[in-house]
mmCIF file of all heavy atoms in Angstrom:
data_model
loop_
_atom_site.group_PDB
_atom_site.id
_atom_site.type_symbol
_atom_site.label_atom_id
_atom_site.label_comp_id
_atom_site.label_asym_id
_atom_site.label_seq_id
_atom_site.Cartn_x
_atom_site.Cartn_y
_atom_site.Cartn_z
ATOM 1 N N MET A 18 0.844 -1.170 0.000
ATOM 2 C CA MET A 18 0.000 0.000 0.000
ATOM 3 C C MET A 18 0.894 1.239 0.000
ATOM 4 O O MET A 18 1.845 1.324 0.762
ATOM 5 C CB MET A 18 -0.899 -0.004 1.242
ATOM 6 C CG MET A 18 -1.713 1.239 1.354
ATOM 7 S SD MET A 18 -2.942 1.237 2.664
ATOM 8 C CE MET A 18 -1.937 1.110 4.111
ATOM 9 N N ARG A 19 0.570 2.197 -0.826
ATOM 10 C CA ARG A 19 1.320 3.440 -0.915
ATOM 11 C C ARG A 19 0.796 4.427 0.113
ATOM 12 O O ARG A 19 -0.402 4.555 0.311
ATOM 13 C CB ARG A 19 1.167 4.013 -2.306
ATOM 14 C CG ARG A 19 1.993 5.229 -2.526
ATOM 15 C CD ARG A 19 1.922 5.661 -3.953
ATOM 16 N NE ARG A 19 2.760 6.833 -4.112
ATOM 17 C CZ ARG A 19 2.969 7.438 -5.233
ATOM 18 N NH1 ARG A 19 2.408 6.985 -6.323
ATOM 19 N NH2 ARG A 19 3.734 8.496 -5.295
ATOM 20 N N VAL A 20 1.699 5.143 0.777
ATOM 21 C CA VAL A 20 1.326 6.130 1.783
ATOM 22 C C VAL A 20 1.688 7.511 1.265
ATOM 23 O O VAL A 20 2.827 7.748 0.871
ATOM 24 C CB VAL A 20 2.047 5.860 3.123
ATOM 25 C CG1 VAL A 20 1.737 6.948 4.119
ATOM 26 C CG2 VAL A 20 1.650 4.507 3.664
ATOM 27 N N ILE A 21 0.703 8.404 1.236
ATOM 28 C CA ILE A 21 0.931 9.785 0.827
ATOM 29 C C ILE A 21 0.581 10.672 2.019
ATOM 30 O O ILE A 21 -0.559 10.681 2.474
ATOM 31 C CB ILE A 21 0.062 10.159 -0.388
ATOM 32 C CG1 ILE A 21 0.381 9.231 -1.560
ATOM 33 C CG2 ILE A 21 0.264 11.622 -0.760
ATOM 34 C CD1 ILE A 21 -0.536 9.390 -2.739
ATOM 35 N N ARG A 22 1.558 11.380 2.540
ATOM 36 C CA ARG A 22 1.326 12.249 3.699
ATOM 37 C C ARG A 22 0.692 13.563 3.243
ATOM 38 O O ARG A 22 1.173 14.199 2.305
ATOM 39 C CB ARG A 22 2.625 12.505 4.422
ATOM 40 C CG ARG A 22 3.233 11.213 4.950
ATOM 41 C CD ARG A 22 4.309 11.472 5.969
ATOM 42 N NE ARG A 22 4.926 10.256 6.382
ATOM 43 C CZ ARG A 22 4.459 9.443 7.315
ATOM 44 N NH1 ARG A 22 3.347 9.741 7.934
ATOM 45 N NH2 ARG A 22 5.089 8.329 7.642
ATOM 46 N N VAL A 23 -0.400 13.946 3.916
ATOM 47 C CA VAL A 23 -1.147 15.147 3.571
ATOM 48 C C VAL A 23 -1.483 15.902 4.848
ATOM 49 O O VAL A 23 -1.853 15.287 5.853
ATOM 50 C CB VAL A 23 -2.465 14.764 2.843
ATOM 51 C CG1 VAL A 23 -3.289 15.986 2.538
ATOM 52 C CG2 VAL A 23 -2.176 13.969 1.583
ATOM 53 N N ASP A 24 -1.352 17.231 4.817
ATOM 54 C CA ASP A 24 -1.772 18.048 5.960
ATOM 55 C C ASP A 24 -3.297 18.112 5.948
ATOM 56 O O ASP A 24 -3.897 18.761 5.107
ATOM 57 C CB ASP A 24 -1.183 19.447 5.874
ATOM 58 C CG ASP A 24 -1.660 20.350 6.998
ATOM 59 O OD1 ASP A 24 -2.211 19.831 7.996
ATOM 60 O OD2 ASP A 24 -1.475 21.576 6.887
ATOM 61 N N ALA A 25 -3.914 17.405 6.878
ATOM 62 C CA ALA A 25 -5.377 17.335 6.930
ATOM 63 C C ALA A 25 -5.943 18.140 8.104
ATOM 64 O O ALA A 25 -7.067 17.909 8.526
ATOM 65 C CB ALA A 25 -5.804 15.881 7.037
ATOM 66 N N SER A 26 -5.179 19.090 8.603
ATOM 67 C CA SER A 26 -5.600 19.840 9.787
ATOM 68 C C SER A 26 -6.870 20.666 9.549
ATOM 69 O O SER A 26 -7.595 20.951 10.492
ATOM 70 C CB SER A 26 -4.471 20.739 10.285
ATOM 71 O OG SER A 26 -4.112 21.674 9.294
ATOM 72 N N THR A 27 -7.148 21.020 8.298
ATOM 73 C CA THR A 27 -8.353 21.802 8.016
ATOM 74 C C THR A 27 -9.398 21.001 7.236
ATOM 75 O O THR A 27 -10.407 21.551 6.817
ATOM 76 C CB THR A 27 -8.000 23.068 7.218
ATOM 77 O OG1 THR A 27 -7.421 22.679 5.975
ATOM 78 C CG2 THR A 27 -7.044 23.956 7.984
ATOM 79 N N ALA A 28 -9.178 19.718 7.063
ATOM 80 C CA ALA A 28 -10.083 18.884 6.266
ATOM 81 C C ALA A 28 -11.255 18.370 7.096
ATOM 82 O O ALA A 28 -11.161 18.204 8.305
ATOM 83 C CB ALA A 28 -9.318 17.706 5.696
ATOM 84 N N THR A 29 -12.354 18.118 6.407
ATOM 85 C CA THR A 29 -13.505 17.443 6.993
ATOM 86 C C THR A 29 -13.587 16.082 6.322
ATOM 87 O O THR A 29 -13.514 15.973 5.101
ATOM 88 C CB THR A 29 -14.804 18.222 6.715
ATOM 89 O OG1 THR A 29 -14.672 19.514 7.282
ATOM 90 C CG2 THR A 29 -15.995 17.516 7.321
ATOM 91 N N ILE A 30 -13.714 15.025 7.117
ATOM 92 C CA ILE A 30 -13.698 13.666 6.588
ATOM 93 C C ILE A 30 -14.992 12.960 6.941
ATOM 94 O O ILE A 30 -15.481 13.052 8.066
ATOM 95 C CB ILE A 30 -12.492 12.884 7.158
ATOM 96 C CG1 ILE A 30 -11.197 13.563 6.733
ATOM 97 C CG2 ILE A 30 -12.513 11.444 6.692
ATOM 98 C CD1 ILE A 30 -9.969 13.004 7.376
ATOM 99 N N LEU A 31 -15.547 12.235 5.978
ATOM 100 C CA LEU A 31 -16.746 11.437 6.184
ATOM 101 C C LEU A 31 -16.314 9.980 6.339
ATOM 102 O O LEU A 31 -15.767 9.390 5.410
ATOM 103 C CB LEU A 31 -17.686 11.582 4.984
ATOM 104 C CG LEU A 31 -18.903 10.670 4.976
ATOM 105 C CD1 LEU A 31 -19.833 11.023 6.136
ATOM 106 C CD2 LEU A 31 -19.634 10.809 3.650
ATOM 107 N N LEU A 32 -16.523 9.407 7.528
ATOM 108 C CA LEU A 32 -16.176 8.008 7.749
ATOM 109 C C LEU A 32 -17.287 7.129 7.213
ATOM 110 O O LEU A 32 -18.457 7.361 7.479
ATOM 111 C CB LEU A 32 -15.967 7.734 9.244
ATOM 112 C CG LEU A 32 -14.822 8.499 9.896
ATOM 113 C CD1 LEU A 32 -14.729 8.155 11.369
ATOM 114 C CD2 LEU A 32 -13.512 8.211 9.205
ATOM 115 N N THR A 33 -16.905 6.106 6.441
ATOM 116 C CA THR A 33 -17.895 5.231 5.821
ATOM 117 C C THR A 33 -18.054 3.918 6.572
ATOM 118 O O THR A 33 -18.966 3.156 6.283
ATOM 119 C CB THR A 33 -17.517 4.944 4.362
ATOM 120 O OG1 THR A 33 -16.220 4.361 4.323
ATOM 121 C CG2 THR A 33 -17.525 6.226 3.542
ATOM 122 N N GLU A 34 -17.157 3.636 7.511
ATOM 123 C CA GLU A 34 -17.209 2.422 8.322
ATOM 124 C C GLU A 34 -16.673 2.754 9.713
ATOM 125 O O GLU A 34 -15.948 3.718 9.893
ATOM 126 C CB GLU A 34 -16.335 1.312 7.730
ATOM 127 C CG GLU A 34 -16.762 0.826 6.374
ATOM 128 C CD GLU A 34 -15.820 -0.229 5.827
ATOM 129 O OE1 GLU A 34 -14.906 -0.673 6.551
ATOM 130 O OE2 GLU A 34 -15.989 -0.601 4.664
ATOM 131 N N ALA A 35 -17.001 1.909 10.666
ATOM 132 C CA ALA A 35 -16.450 2.066 12.012
ATOM 133 C C ALA A 35 -14.953 1.727 11.987
ATOM 134 O O ALA A 35 -14.519 0.901 11.183
ATOM 135 C CB ALA A 35 -17.179 1.151 12.984
ATOM 136 N N PRO A 36 -14.140 2.365 12.845
ATOM 137 C CA PRO A 36 -12.711 2.039 12.902
ATOM 138 C C PRO A 36 -12.505 0.566 13.264
ATOM 139 O O PRO A 36 -13.265 -0.012 14.032
ATOM 140 C CB PRO A 36 -12.178 2.928 14.023
ATOM 141 C CG PRO A 36 -13.197 3.986 14.217
ATOM 142 C CD PRO A 36 -14.504 3.405 13.792
ATOM 143 N N SER A 37 -11.456 -0.024 12.688
ATOM 144 C CA SER A 37 -11.115 -1.411 13.008
ATOM 145 C C SER A 37 -9.616 -1.485 13.281
ATOM 146 O O SER A 37 -8.849 -0.667 12.779
ATOM 147 C CB SER A 37 -11.496 -2.337 11.858
ATOM 148 O OG SER A 37 -10.808 -1.965 10.684
ATOM 149 N N PRO A 38 -9.173 -2.440 14.099
ATOM 150 C CA PRO A 38 -7.746 -2.551 14.389
ATOM 151 C C PRO A 38 -6.935 -2.759 13.108
ATOM 152 O O PRO A 38 -7.351 -3.505 12.223
ATOM 153 C CB PRO A 38 -7.648 -3.788 15.284
ATOM 154 C CG PRO A 38 -9.015 -3.979 15.835
ATOM 155 C CD PRO A 38 -9.954 -3.453 14.802
ATOM 156 N N LYS A 39 -5.793 -2.075 13.011
ATOM 157 C CA LYS A 39 -4.914 -2.233 11.857
ATOM 158 C C LYS A 39 -4.067 -3.481 12.065
ATOM 159 O O LYS A 39 -3.416 -3.631 13.101
ATOM 160 C CB LYS A 39 -4.020 -1.008 11.700
ATOM 161 C CG LYS A 39 -3.116 -1.091 10.494
ATOM 162 C CD LYS A 39 -2.338 0.182 10.288
ATOM 163 C CE LYS A 39 -1.452 0.064 9.069
ATOM 164 N NZ LYS A 39 -0.673 1.264 8.846
ATOM 165 N N VAL A 40 -4.074 -4.380 11.091
ATOM 166 C CA VAL A 40 -3.331 -5.632 11.196
ATOM 167 C C VAL A 40 -1.921 -5.412 10.651
ATOM 168 O O VAL A 40 -1.744 -4.947 9.525
ATOM 169 C CB VAL A 40 -4.039 -6.757 10.418
ATOM 170 C CG1 VAL A 40 -3.245 -8.047 10.494
ATOM 171 C CG2 VAL A 40 -5.448 -6.961 10.959
ATOM 172 N N ARG A 41 -0.929 -5.746 11.447
ATOM 173 C CA ARG A 41 0.472 -5.596 11.028
ATOM 174 C C ARG A 41 0.913 -6.791 10.200
ATOM 175 O O ARG A 41 1.591 -6.659 9.201
ATOM 176 C CB ARG A 41 1.368 -5.446 12.247
ATOM 177 C CG ARG A 41 2.821 -5.290 11.885
ATOM 178 C CD ARG A 41 3.669 -5.017 13.073
ATOM 179 N NE ARG A 41 5.045 -4.828 12.636
ATOM 180 C CZ ARG A 41 6.077 -4.944 13.419
ATOM 181 N NH1 ARG A 41 5.904 -5.216 14.690
ATOM 182 N NH2 ARG A 41 7.279 -4.764 12.956
ATOM 183 N N ASP A 42 0.544 -7.988 10.642
ATOM 184 C CA ASP A 42 0.938 -9.221 9.959
ATOM 185 C C ASP A 42 -0.304 -10.088 9.776
ATOM 186 O O ASP A 42 -0.840 -10.621 10.746
ATOM 187 C CB ASP A 42 1.997 -9.944 10.786
ATOM 188 C CG ASP A 42 2.571 -11.170 10.089
ATOM 189 O OD1 ASP A 42 1.898 -11.740 9.204
ATOM 190 O OD2 ASP A 42 3.686 -11.566 10.449
ATOM 191 N N ARG A 43 -0.748 -10.242 8.532
ATOM 192 C CA ARG A 43 -1.975 -11.008 8.268
ATOM 193 C C ARG A 43 -1.811 -12.492 8.594
ATOM 194 O O ARG A 43 -2.779 -13.156 8.936
ATOM 195 C CB ARG A 43 -2.400 -10.834 6.820
ATOM 196 C CG ARG A 43 -2.868 -9.436 6.515
ATOM 197 C CD ARG A 43 -3.320 -9.333 5.064
ATOM 198 N NE ARG A 43 -3.568 -7.958 4.688
ATOM 199 C CZ ARG A 43 -4.743 -7.363 4.812
ATOM 200 N NH1 ARG A 43 -5.759 -8.012 5.301
ATOM 201 N NH2 ARG A 43 -4.882 -6.111 4.437
ATOM 202 N N GLN A 44 -0.609 -13.012 8.477
ATOM 203 C CA GLN A 44 -0.390 -14.441 8.765
ATOM 204 C C GLN A 44 -0.549 -14.757 10.242
ATOM 205 O O GLN A 44 -1.111 -15.781 10.602
ATOM 206 C CB GLN A 44 0.983 -14.885 8.274
ATOM 207 C CG GLN A 44 1.084 -14.918 6.759
ATOM 208 C CD GLN A 44 2.436 -15.410 6.292
ATOM 209 O OE1 GLN A 44 3.427 -15.327 7.015
ATOM 210 N NE2 GLN A 44 2.479 -15.916 5.069
ATOM 211 N N THR A 45 -0.057 -13.872 11.104
ATOM 212 C CA THR A 45 -0.130 -14.133 12.542
ATOM 213 C C THR A 45 -1.302 -13.414 13.206
ATOM 214 O O THR A 45 -1.645 -13.715 14.339
ATOM 215 C CB THR A 45 1.156 -13.673 13.248
ATOM 216 O OG1 THR A 45 1.283 -12.255 13.105
ATOM 217 C CG2 THR A 45 2.386 -14.364 12.668
ATOM 218 N N GLY A 46 -1.890 -12.434 12.496
ATOM 219 C CA GLY A 46 -2.981 -11.656 13.073
ATOM 220 C C GLY A 46 -2.494 -10.569 14.024
ATOM 221 O O GLY A 46 -3.284 -9.967 14.744
ATOM 222 N N GLU A 47 -1.189 -10.294 14.023
ATOM 223 C CA GLU A 47 -0.612 -9.284 14.922
ATOM 224 C C GLU A 47 -1.178 -7.901 14.602
ATOM 225 O O GLU A 47 -1.254 -7.493 13.443
ATOM 226 C CB GLU A 47 0.904 -9.262 14.771
ATOM 227 C CG GLU A 47 1.587 -8.235 15.639
ATOM 228 C CD GLU A 47 3.087 -8.169 15.408
ATOM 229 O OE1 GLU A 47 3.608 -8.879 14.536
ATOM 230 O OE2 GLU A 47 3.736 -7.379 16.112
ATOM 231 N N ILE A 48 -1.588 -7.177 15.641
ATOM 232 C CA ILE A 48 -2.147 -5.833 15.500
ATOM 233 C C ILE A 48 -1.018 -4.809 15.525
ATOM 234 O O ILE A 48 -0.106 -4.895 16.344
ATOM 235 C CB ILE A 48 -3.149 -5.542 16.647
ATOM 236 C CG1 ILE A 48 -4.275 -6.575 16.653
ATOM 237 C CG2 ILE A 48 -3.698 -4.127 16.554
ATOM 238 C CD1 ILE A 48 -5.106 -6.620 15.401
ATOM 239 N N ALA A 49 -1.065 -3.823 14.629
ATOM 240 C CA ALA A 49 -0.054 -2.764 14.569
ATOM 241 C C ALA A 49 -0.181 -1.863 15.795
ATOM 242 O O ALA A 49 -1.281 -1.561 16.238
ATOM 243 C CB ALA A 49 -0.223 -1.951 13.297
ATOM 244 N N LYS A 50 0.965 -1.445 16.338
ATOM 245 C CA LYS A 50 0.981 -0.578 17.515
ATOM 246 C C LYS A 50 1.845 0.650 17.255
ATOM 247 O O LYS A 50 2.815 0.588 16.514
ATOM 248 C CB LYS A 50 1.515 -1.342 18.720
ATOM 249 C CG LYS A 50 0.634 -2.510 19.070
ATOM 250 C CD LYS A 50 0.936 -3.068 20.416
ATOM 251 C CE LYS A 50 0.013 -4.241 20.621
ATOM 252 N NZ LYS A 50 -0.587 -4.295 21.884
ATOM 253 N N ASP A 51 1.477 1.758 17.902
ATOM 254 C CA ASP A 51 2.252 2.989 17.829
ATOM 255 C C ASP A 51 3.614 2.750 18.456
ATOM 256 O O ASP A 51 3.711 2.162 19.543
ATOM 257 C CB ASP A 51 1.514 4.105 18.565
ATOM 258 C CG ASP A 51 2.244 5.415 18.473
ATOM 259 O OD1 ASP A 51 2.065 6.107 17.464
ATOM 260 O OD2 ASP A 51 2.996 5.739 19.410
ATOM 261 N N THR A 52 4.685 3.195 17.795
ATOM 262 C CA THR A 52 6.031 2.935 18.302
ATOM 263 C C THR A 52 6.360 3.717 19.565
ATOM 264 O O THR A 52 7.207 3.301 20.340
ATOM 265 C CB THR A 52 7.087 3.267 17.230
ATOM 266 O OG1 THR A 52 6.918 4.613 16.808
ATOM 267 C CG2 THR A 52 6.951 2.338 16.035
ATOM 268 N N VAL A 53 5.689 4.840 19.794
ATOM 269 C CA VAL A 53 5.965 5.655 20.975
ATOM 270 C C VAL A 53 5.092 5.250 22.158
ATOM 271 O O VAL A 53 5.585 4.950 23.236
ATOM 272 C CB VAL A 53 5.783 7.159 20.663
ATOM 273 C CG1 VAL A 53 5.978 7.995 21.908
ATOM 274 C CG2 VAL A 53 6.729 7.598 19.558
ATOM 275 N N SER A 54 3.783 5.221 21.949
ATOM 276 C CA SER A 54 2.861 4.963 23.062
ATOM 277 C C SER A 54 2.540 3.487 23.260
ATOM 278 O O SER A 54 2.092 3.097 24.330
ATOM 279 C CB SER A 54 1.554 5.726 22.842
ATOM 280 O OG SER A 54 0.847 5.184 21.737
ATOM 281 N N GLY A 55 2.713 2.678 22.199
ATOM 282 C CA GLY A 55 2.376 1.262 22.306
ATOM 283 C C GLY A 55 0.890 0.985 22.117
ATOM 284 O O GLY A 55 0.454 -0.162 22.198
ATOM 285 N N GLU A 56 0.100 2.019 21.846
ATOM 286 C CA GLU A 56 -1.343 1.831 21.652
ATOM 287 C C GLU A 56 -1.621 1.199 20.294
ATOM 288 O O GLU A 56 -0.895 1.424 19.326
ATOM 289 C CB GLU A 56 -2.065 3.173 21.732
ATOM 290 C CG GLU A 56 -2.066 3.785 23.110
ATOM 291 C CD GLU A 56 -2.903 5.050 23.164
ATOM 292 O OE1 GLU A 56 -4.072 4.984 22.735
ATOM 293 O OE2 GLU A 56 -2.388 6.070 23.608
ATOM 294 N N ALA A 57 -2.691 0.409 20.221
ATOM 295 C CA ALA A 57 -3.092 -0.219 18.964
ATOM 296 C C ALA A 57 -3.516 0.854 17.960
ATOM 297 O O ALA A 57 -4.169 1.827 18.321
ATOM 298 C CB ALA A 57 -4.232 -1.194 19.208
ATOM 299 N N LEU A 58 -3.132 0.657 16.686
ATOM 300 C CA LEU A 58 -3.515 1.578 15.629
ATOM 301 C C LEU A 58 -4.834 1.124 15.018
ATOM 302 O O LEU A 58 -5.143 -0.065 15.001
ATOM 303 C CB LEU A 58 -2.437 1.626 14.550
ATOM 304 C CG LEU A 58 -1.071 2.127 14.999
ATOM 305 C CD1 LEU A 58 -0.082 2.046 13.840
ATOM 306 C CD2 LEU A 58 -1.162 3.547 15.523
ATOM 307 N N LEU A 59 -5.606 2.083 14.512
ATOM 308 C CA LEU A 59 -6.887 1.781 13.895
ATOM 309 C C LEU A 59 -6.850 2.136 12.417
ATOM 310 O O LEU A 59 -6.189 3.093 12.014
ATOM 311 C CB LEU A 59 -8.009 2.567 14.575
ATOM 312 C CG LEU A 59 -8.238 2.264 16.044
ATOM 313 C CD1 LEU A 59 -9.287 3.201 16.621
ATOM 314 C CD2 LEU A 59 -8.664 0.823 16.234
ATOM 315 N N ALA A 60 -7.578 1.370 11.604
ATOM 316 C CA ALA A 60 -7.718 1.650 10.183
ATOM 317 C C ALA A 60 -9.089 2.275 9.967
ATOM 318 O O ALA A 60 -10.071 1.860 10.585
ATOM 319 C CB ALA A 60 -7.583 0.368 9.381
ATOM 320 N N LEU A 61 -9.144 3.279 9.097
ATOM 321 C CA LEU A 61 -10.395 3.972 8.807
ATOM 322 C C LEU A 61 -10.678 3.949 7.324
ATOM 323 O O LEU A 61 -9.785 4.170 6.507
ATOM 324 C CB LEU A 61 -10.313 5.440 9.252
ATOM 325 C CG LEU A 61 -10.034 5.716 10.705
ATOM 326 C CD1 LEU A 61 -9.789 7.202 10.916
ATOM 327 C CD2 LEU A 61 -11.206 5.251 11.551
ATOM 328 N N ALA A 62 -11.923 3.688 6.959
ATOM 329 C CA ALA A 62 -12.362 3.837 5.563
ATOM 330 C C ALA A 62 -13.022 5.210 5.497
ATOM 331 O O ALA A 62 -13.906 5.520 6.298
ATOM 332 C CB ALA A 62 -13.353 2.744 5.211
ATOM 333 N N HIS A 63 -12.584 6.045 4.581
ATOM 334 C CA HIS A 63 -13.103 7.419 4.551
ATOM 335 C C HIS A 63 -13.190 7.948 3.127
ATOM 336 O O HIS A 63 -12.553 7.463 2.224
ATOM 337 C CB HIS A 63 -12.220 8.332 5.400
ATOM 338 C CG HIS A 63 -10.832 8.422 4.880
ATOM 339 N ND1 HIS A 63 -9.899 7.452 5.117
ATOM 340 C CD2 HIS A 63 -10.220 9.341 4.110
ATOM 341 C CE1 HIS A 63 -8.760 7.786 4.525
ATOM 342 N NE2 HIS A 63 -8.930 8.916 3.898
ATOM 343 N N LEU A 64 -14.000 8.975 2.986
ATOM 344 C CA LEU A 64 -14.133 9.694 1.727
ATOM 345 C C LEU A 64 -13.924 11.171 2.002
ATOM 346 O O LEU A 64 -14.392 11.679 3.011
ATOM 347 C CB LEU A 64 -15.539 9.494 1.155
ATOM 348 C CG LEU A 64 -15.932 8.069 0.793
ATOM 349 C CD1 LEU A 64 -17.408 8.018 0.441
ATOM 350 C CD2 LEU A 64 -15.095 7.547 -0.350
ATOM 351 N N PRO A 65 -13.223 11.892 1.123
ATOM 352 C CA PRO A 65 -13.097 13.338 1.337
ATOM 353 C C PRO A 65 -14.451 14.011 1.127
ATOM 354 O O PRO A 65 -15.227 13.598 0.280
ATOM 355 C CB PRO A 65 -12.095 13.771 0.276
ATOM 356 C CG PRO A 65 -12.133 12.692 -0.745
ATOM 357 C CD PRO A 65 -12.532 11.428 -0.047
ATOM 358 N N ARG A 66 -14.732 15.018 1.915
ATOM 359 C CA ARG A 66 -15.992 15.756 1.780
ATOM 360 C C ARG A 66 -15.809 16.844 0.731
ATOM 361 O O ARG A 66 -14.856 17.626 0.804
ATOM 362 C CB ARG A 66 -16.374 16.366 3.122
ATOM 363 C CG ARG A 66 -17.682 17.069 3.088
ATOM 364 C CD ARG A 66 -18.067 17.535 4.454
ATOM 365 N NE ARG A 66 -19.304 18.284 4.346
ATOM 366 C CZ ARG A 66 -19.844 18.907 5.344
ATOM 367 N NH1 ARG A 66 -19.278 18.894 6.527
ATOM 368 N NH2 ARG A 66 -20.952 19.569 5.195
ATOM 369 N N PRO A 67 -16.701 16.916 -0.249
ATOM 370 C CA PRO A 67 -16.547 17.939 -1.288
ATOM 371 C C PRO A 67 -16.698 19.358 -0.722
ATOM 372 O O PRO A 67 -17.463 19.571 0.221
ATOM 373 C CB PRO A 67 -17.665 17.632 -2.270
ATOM 374 C CG PRO A 67 -18.608 16.737 -1.562
ATOM 375 C CD PRO A 67 -17.866 16.095 -0.425
ATOM 376 N N ARG A 68 -15.977 20.292 -1.302
ATOM 377 C CA ARG A 68 -16.094 21.695 -0.875
ATOM 378 C C ARG A 68 -17.308 22.328 -1.516
ATOM 379 O O ARG A 68 -17.648 22.056 -2.649
ATOM 380 C CB ARG A 68 -14.848 22.477 -1.276
ATOM 381 C CG ARG A 68 -13.629 22.034 -0.563
ATOM 382 C CD ARG A 68 -12.472 22.891 -0.976
ATOM 383 N NE ARG A 68 -11.274 22.380 -0.343
ATOM 384 C CZ ARG A 68 -10.300 23.140 0.065
ATOM 385 N NH1 ARG A 68 -10.359 24.429 -0.108
ATOM 386 N NH2 ARG A 68 -9.237 22.618 0.623
ATOM 387 N N HIS A 69 -17.962 23.216 -0.774
ATOM 388 C CA HIS A 69 -19.126 23.926 -1.316
ATOM 389 C C HIS A 69 -18.836 25.387 -1.387
ATOM 390 O O HIS A 69 -18.211 25.993 -0.662
ATOM 391 C CB HIS A 69 -20.358 23.700 -0.434
ATOM 392 C CG HIS A 69 -20.813 22.273 -0.463
ATOM 393 N ND1 HIS A 69 -21.487 21.750 -1.536
ATOM 394 C CD2 HIS A 69 -20.681 21.255 0.409
ATOM 395 C CE1 HIS A 69 -21.772 20.483 -1.298
ATOM 396 N NE2 HIS A 69 -21.283 20.162 -0.109
#
């Protein structure tokens, strides 16, 4: 998966699904964790909201 970093500080996002745990390794089912805090990361399905 390609990652493109974007400044989203002023964006409005429409979530299309509830957050789900991000899987780090599909074979083992290991959940991805933040390297600093150790908290589990979540994956979000989203669509950008059109500007009016």
Side-chain angles (χ1 to χ4, degrees):
M18 175 173 63
R19 185 174 181 177
V20 176
I21 301 172
R22 298 195 184 277
V23 177
D24 177 15
S26 61
T27 61
T29 300
I30 298 172
L31 173 65
L32 297 179
T33 58
E34 297 178 7
S37 60
K39 182 175 180 181
V40 178
R41 180 175 182 200
D42 186 336
R43 292 182 189 270
Q44 290 182 337
T45 63
E47 179 184 3
I48 302 299
K50 298 194 181 224
D51 182 84
T52 56
V53 176
S54 68
E56 291 185 52
L58 298 177
L59 298 175
L61 301 172
H63 63 280
L64 297 172
R66 183 175 176 185
R68 294 182 184 215
H69 293 284

